Amino acid sequence: MNLKLLFEHIRIDTPLLVVMALVMVSSVAVVYSKHLSRSEFVQLQQLEKKRDLLNEEWGRLLLEQSTWGSPSRVEQQARLRLNMSVPRADMTVVIKP
């Protein structure tokens, strides 16, 4: 008779046990999801910081390129390093066909 009562008691508590198990699984899933969300957010922040640093470097490189490639700089370097000069009018020869 005790076994019969025990089985009846287990049958009554079975839905409760199932609900408790589902609640536990759901709570673990929520914690895991929150952990993944935080991990992805940290990675996003790191990538945005890297992007900002690369954009700053790109701006500096563009400025440097425009400085080194300016016509006055090219002419100055041609004079200093290659001993070049702007031709005078008497140095110019016109060839007619």
Side-chain angles (χ1 to χ4, degrees):
M1 185 114 61
N2 286 337
L3 284 174
K4 188 175 182 181
L5 287 174
L6 181 64
F7 284 135
E8 286 178 6
H9 183 67
I10 290 174
R11 285 188 204 136
I12 292 171
D13 288 344
T14 303
L16 179 63
L17 290 175
V18 170
V19 169
M20 286 176 53
L22 290 175
V23 167
M24 291 298 290
V25 168
S26 174
S27 63
V28 169
V30 167
V31 169
Y32 181 70
S33 173
K34 188 67 173 177
H35 170 71
L36 286 179
S37 172
R38 287 181 179 165
S39 297
E40 294 295 325
F41 183 73
V42 166
Q43 185 179 10
L44 174 67
Q45 293 293 317
Q46 290 171 347
L47 290 172
E48 285 178 347
K49 184 177 181 179
K50 186 175 181 179
R51 179 203 59 199
D52 293 342
L53 291 173
L54 289 172
N55 279 336
E56 288 177 16
E57 183 180 2
W58 177 250
R60 283 193 301 271
L61 289 173
L62 286 177
L63 181 62
E64 184 179 347
Q65 180 185 19
S66 67
T67 301
W68 287 98
S70 68
S72 62
R73 171 99 175 129
V74 171
E75 183 179 351
Q76 178 189 19
Q77 292 301 311
R79 287 179 194 268
L80 293 175
R81 292 185 180 182
L82 303 175
N83 295 324
M84 296 177 79
S85 62
V86 178
R88 297 184 307 271
D90 61 341
M91 297 172 70
T92 309
V93 178
V94 177
I95 301 176
K96 293 184 180 180

